[in-house]
Amino acid sequence: MIPPQEASARRREIEDKLKQEEETLSFIRDSLEKSDQLTKNMVSILSSFESRLMKLENSIIPVHTQTENLQRLQENVEKTLACLDHVIGYYHVASDTEKTIREGPTGRLEEYLGSMARIQKAVEYFQDNSPDSPELNKVKLLFERGKESLESEFRSLMTRHSKVVSPVLILDLTGGDDELEVQEDVALEQLPESVLQDVVRIARWLVEYGRNQDFMNVYYQIRSSQLDRSIRGLKEHFRKSSSSSGVPYSPAVPNKRKDTPTKKPAKRPGTIRKAQHLLKQYSQHGLDGKKGGSNLIPLEGRDDVLDVETDAYIHCVSAFVKLAQSEYQLLADIIPEHHQKKTFDSLIQDALDGLMLEGENIVSAARKAIIRHDFSTVLTVFPILRHLKQTKPEFDQVLQGTAASTKNKLPSLISSMETVGAKALEDFADNIKNDPDKEYNMPKDGTVHELTSNAILFLQQLLDFQETAGAMLASQETSSSATSYSSEFSKRLLSTYICKVLGNLQLNLLSKSKVYEDPALSAIFLHNNYNYILKALEKSELIQLVAVTQKTAERSYREHIEQQIQTYQRSWLKVIDHIADKSLPVLQPGAKLRDKERQMIKERFKGFNDGLEELCKIQKAWAVPDMEQRDKIRQAQKTVVKETYAAFLHRYGSVPFTKNTDKYIKYRVEQVGDMIDRLFDTSA
């Protein structure tokens, strides 16, 4: 059982807690009542606000709507006024721009194009909105007048600023000036930059707004004339330079320009001059002499003329390529892309046709030269053809996109030159073979015949043009197409051709040698010509070219030379035979000579003396231009004659066969040697 005191305490504790809980409950109840009251007050306030807001909205919305309508009306009024101003502006375009259009675009292109833009917009407006308006006719007439002024300005700018390119600048462009040690890149300004910008703007306007393509014709006509005159000016420059240096010049197309510079054009290595220089070197070594006649026109004397003409044409071809490239770059900035190729094709025609015509004239002149056997003229074809072939890739690149007829002009000219070149080679070989044996044209002293020197000189040219000449020959071969032959094949053809010419020359020389009545002079003639040929082959590089198909050519010529020396030496047998051991009488020592023996010795001395004097007199007028060969022949003959005469003199010089010894023993051994040393020497 719980003691009464603890129970009483526990009861009081419970009653205290209960009292606290009742107080808390009462507080909560009061709080809820206050919250309900506040809620009712808030609801009442919100209801009042909503009512007032609805009243405000009902008042503001009509005002807003009215204001919006007023703003719209204001915008419409402003737009209407702007449209009126815009429309009214079109009616004033003619009067506002007429002065500008009348004065033209010169010096004020920007302003002028702005005026044309206003006029164009006015035309478009009246066409769309008032096609029957008189204002449309006004602005149309003004637009056409303005367009004509732009076209005129385009023509004027192109005419005034399209200058002929000076020959000196062209030579710098083509790298043809040898006076400049270091070639720098040369810029060609066809039009000043400011002018070019104006021309480009006018061209674009005419295409885009003017709907006009006539300016393209104007452009190509002006630039075509400029290109053609530039090339003609270069040709005239060569003519003047050659005239000032005393070298005649006959250009295919004369030029009357008087303002070309006086600077001399660079000279390419002259083909004929180079060969003649080599042959002059041979002459210094005794290879050359007085030439005999030939029906071949001599190659000397025309080298300067041919070199000038050849150089002029070669430079003009290079100039055309460089200038045409520059023209296309300029044209690409001015002419619309889809018209560029056609315009360029028209632009270059005059200059290109002039070059091709001159090339055909060269071909025609070569054909005529072949007929009259003037092969020096034909030689001009070789350097020109080589240059055309070297330039053809650039030509093809420049002519991309042009008409087929334009592209085919250069290949056609190359083909014509190859044909005439091959014809020249063939005819030259035939002429070497068939050159007639004219007695009055034969060298009296047996020296080198003009036919030989001309043949060697002609063949010498082929060294500088091996590929070109080989291609000429290959182009005529039925077994090979123009594109299938190799360089080795053409080289073998050229070697075969040279061997053919040399073979024909040898046969002709043999035939000519028969004109001489004296076999010894005939032998000297053949010796001189064979020796000349051999030395010329060796000193040039012809011998290597000949060796491609004829390995033993050099040895063969040496054998021929030696054979002719031996033939010549036989002419002395009739002299030596008088004093040779085999025909001398045997005398007994101390025996008295009989009359018959004395007479025989006298005849032997007289025969030797007369024969020696006669041969020395005749052969002194003969010529052996090669000093080495001359000394060799003299020495060999001197040795034989002196030894034989010394032996004869030793045997009979002291024999009393005559009282008048000086009459028969006219020469000492040394004197005989001196006489032979003066053979082949007209100055002795």
Side-chain angles (χ1 to χ4, degrees), residues 287-303:
L287 283 174
D288 205 357
K290 299 177 181 179
K291 308 292 188 296
S294 168
N295 74 330
L296 294 173
I297 294 179
L299 299 180
E300 295 90 347
R302 296 200 46 172
D303 55 333

Side-chain angles (χ1 to χ4, degrees), residues 215-228:
F215 78 94
M216 299 181 197
N217 296 331
V218 172
Y219 177 86
Y220 92 70
Q221 289 168 1
I222 293 173
R223 297 306 299 177
S224 175
S225 174
Q226 180 269 343
L227 175 62
D228 191 42

Side-chain angles (χ1 to χ4, degrees), residues 350-362:
D350 286 348
L352 181 59
D353 286 344
L355 282 178
M356 296 302 108
L357 176 60
E358 189 171 355
E360 290 297 337
N361 288 340
I362 291 172

Side-chain angles (χ1 to χ4, degrees), residues 289-292 442-449 516 521 524-525 528 618-625 680 682:
K290 299 177 181 179
K291 308 292 188 296
M442 293 294 290
K444 304 301 182 182
D445 57 0
T447 190
V448 178
H449 198 280
Y516 295 111
L521 181 56
I524 289 296
F525 171 76
N528 286 333
I618 294 173
Q619 295 185 8
K620 182 177 69 172
W622 296 356
V624 179
F680 318 122
T682 56

Side-chain angles (χ1 to χ4, degrees), residues 568-583:
Y568 160 76
Q569 289 175 339
R570 295 193 188 102
S571 65
W572 284 86
L573 292 179
K574 61 183 179 181
V575 177
I576 298 175
D577 280 348
H578 288 290
I579 56 175
D581 287 341
K582 59 183 179 180
S583 60

